[in-house]
Amino acid sequence: MKQPSTDPTSREGAGLGGPRSRRGVDEVFGRSGSGPLSGIVIADFSRVLAGPYATMLLADMGATVIKVEGPDGDDTRTYMPPVRDGEATFFLSVNRNKHSIALDLKDPKDLEIARDLVRASDVMIENFKPGNMERLGLDYDTAAQLNPEIIYTSITGFGTGAGAHIPGYDLLVQAASGMMSLTGDQDTQPFRAGVALFDVITGLHAAIGILGALHHKDQTGEGQLVELNLLNSALSGMVNQSAAYVTGGVVPTRMGNEHPSMYPYASMQTGDGMIIIATGNDAQFARLCAALAMPEVARDPKFSKTLQRNANRDELRNMLHSRLASQSADQWFRQLSEAGLPCAPIQDVRGGIEFAERLGLEPVVLAGTGSRKIPTVRHPVAYSRTPVDYELAPPELNNSSELVRGWLQSQKALANA
């Protein structure tokens, strides 16, 4: 078994042979080298959302991500509106801290550059339709021959078996998984979530899988295949709702903003609009009733316990709405928050960003330096010793072609030395 290196400044570059300085990679590609993934190189062949979201998170953590795009670029470059200075905000949202190289993988010369990139990288990620990478000679078996230590991450929509022919679109997965049957009121049609939720969840799962494989590689020197599909990620991400059927034999249905197991845990009508109140246990319900000046309700056997509140929620809902109608949503939010009760205003996205700013969470960060600085949403994890950074703005198409090609040439020279 291969033993991990004890030298923290180098790694084994299996595909190209010989040691490769972590700091050297960071310096070549213009990173500070402070993040927890400093020195890791990721060949990103993924497109649209799930893969690019995963690789952006890893890039924020210091990894050098080389985004391989077709000659016309990632499809999301054309997803307009909305736009910022002529660029699609969709693309900008998931591609900071990356380098772009445009390659036509049907061109033998460009395909060889792609293969060189696989040889030189720690991680490869792709979300092509099953079979496409094999036809190109960039499938896992071939990649592992080029670089035995490669962590090859493959994302599909519905797996590589009987569902291989189904395109991996988030909306299809929201429909097929049952998610849409849970979204909306009982008297409405099924709705999708307002964001490509399962693309995002799959991206998170991909990042977790890559981190796990990197740890295994550090321990053993072994690469491996990491496979994900949107449908399995969806069913995992639906947690208690999928478990309701798998574990309890119950098929959940649409309940609007209400929760099947807790009440009140929903949007509630006030004097001038709606507010979210989330009551997670009996003690919180008693405190809520006290704050609403109706403590006797918490003592009523029909409402004192979670099971009884769920059974009598229609009656309880009317009582709560009647009391909440005496003040505005903002007044109740402030009053209930001061009492330490879980509640929140219902806002648009601008309101959500501004709310986070008022709380001191600094949700907006500038990605890039010099004249190209783009407002983006903050990375969700804060590290006390190895902070993330936002050094690179989302790349313009093919912006790092010469840099990547030059680095690959240097890696070849190092391997042949």
Side-chain angles (χ1 to χ4, degrees):
M1 179 183 295
K2 177 178 175 179
Q3 297 299 314
S5 171
T6 57
D7 180 357
T9 64
S10 66
R11 64 173 292 277
E12 294 292 332
L16 289 169
R20 170 152 59 84
S21 168
R22 290 182 182 275
R23 187 170 297 279
V25 169
D26 293 331
E27 290 176 349
V28 168
F29 287 96
R31 301 302 298 275
S32 68
S34 62
L37 295 183
S38 171
I40 297 296
V41 178
I42 300 176
D44 183 4
F45 290 81
S46 68
R47 304 156 296 161
V48 188
L49 184 50
Y53 183 64
T55 54
M56 182 183 73
L57 295 178
L58 300 174
D60 291 348
M61 295 159 64
T64 294
V65 175
I66 299 170
K67 182 177 178 66
V68 178
E69 303 187 65
D72 296 326
D74 190 311
D75 286 350
T76 60
R77 291 186 182 273
T78 67
Y79 287 6
M80 307 178 188
V83 299
R84 176 185 174 85
D85 297 333
E87 295 183 87
T89 61
F90 194 125
F91 176 85
L92 298 176
S93 72
V94 290
N95 284 292
R96 73 174 166 235
N97 279 331
K98 302 179 186 181
H99 296 271
S100 170
I101 181 171
L103 297 176
D104 181 354
L105 298 181
K106 296 179 181 179
D107 181 282
K109 292 182 179 179
D110 280 4
L111 182 58
E112 187 57 33
I113 292 172
R115 292 164 67 87
D116 286 342
L117 185 57
V118 173
R119 292 186 181 98
S121 298
D122 300 283
V123 178
M124 174 180 172
I125 183 169
E126 60 87 14
N127 60 352
F128 281 73
K129 185 177 179 180
N132 283 5
M133 294 303 265
E134 185 175 5
R135 284 190 288 273
L136 291 168
L138 290 172
D139 56 299
Y140 171 64
D141 289 340
T142 306
Q145 291 175 8
L146 297 172
N147 181 354
E149 292 187 11
I150 195 74
I151 293 167
Y152 188 109
T153 309
S154 179
I155 300 173
T156 60
F158 295 85
T160 58
H165 66 288
I166 307 176
Y169 288 97
D170 180 273
L171 184 58
L172 302 186
V173 180
Q174 289 202 33
S177 67
M179 176 66 178
M180 288 178 62
S181 76
L182 305 175
T183 308
D185 289 318
Q186 290 180 331
D187 57 351
T188 68
Q189 64 177 351
F191 286 110
R192 71 175 181 90
V195 67
L197 182 64
F198 294 139
D199 272 337
V200 173
I201 289 177
T202 305
L204 291 170
H205 290 170
I208 293 169
I210 289 169
L211 293 175
L214 283 170
H215 178 70
H216 176 78
K217 180 178 176 179
D218 280 346
Q219 299 297 309
T220 67
E222 298 172 341
Q224 62 181 300
L225 173 62
V226 178
E227 293 184 282
L228 306 97
N229 66 76
L230 270 66
L231 183 55
N232 275 349
S233 281
L235 296 174
S236 174
M238 288 160 63
V239 287
N240 61 297
Q241 297 286 38
S242 50
Y245 174 70
V246 172
T247 309
V250 174
V251 178
T253 58
R254 292 189 300 281
M255 298 183 65
N257 291 325
E258 294 193 0
H259 194 284
S261 306
M262 293 181 284
Y263 194 83
Y265 194 100
S267 56
M268 309 295 291
Q269 182 65 49
T270 71
D272 68 348
M274 306 294 284
I275 187 175
I276 293 293
I277 295 178
T279 304
N281 54 53
D282 296 336
Q284 285 183 343
F285 180 67
R287 286 164 48 208
L288 173 65
C289 290
L292 296 177
M294 44 195 299
E296 70 283 355
V297 175
R299 297 189 294 269
D300 189 323
K302 290 189 296 184
F303 310 123
S304 59
K305 300 295 182 182
T306 300
L307 184 62
Q308 283 69 43
R309 287 195 297 279
N310 283 323
N312 298 290
R313 65 172 62 197
D314 289 342
E315 181 181 354
L316 179 56
R317 183 188 302 109
N318 291 334
M319 296 169 67
L320 293 172
H321 284 182
S322 177
R323 176 67 183 122
L324 290 166
S326 65
Q327 292 187 160
S328 70
D330 184 66
Q331 287 174 307
W332 280 121
F333 169 63
R334 295 176 186 277
Q335 183 172 325
L336 297 179
S337 294
E338 289 172 0
L341 290 161
C343 63
I346 298 176
Q347 305 177 131
D348 59 17
V349 175
R350 176 175 61 184
I353 296 292
E354 292 175 347
F355 185 52
E357 290 173 338
R358 291 197 302 273
L359 297 178
L361 300 179
E362 300 179 353
V364 180
V365 293
L366 291 177
T369 58
S371 60
R372 186 169 171 79
K373 292 183 180 180
I374 296 177
T376 61
V377 176
R378 176 176 293 278
H379 185 95
V381 181
Y383 293 87
S384 64
R385 294 186 182 276
T386 54
V388 302
D389 65 65
Y390 310 97
E391 294 175 315
L392 304 177
E396 296 172 298
L397 179 61
N398 208 33
N399 76 320
S400 295
S401 177
E402 295 305 314
L403 178 62
V404 173
R405 292 168 189 267
W407 177 71
L408 290 174
Q409 286 297 318
S410 72
Q411 295 301 293
K412 277 189 173 182
L414 180 63
N416 295 328

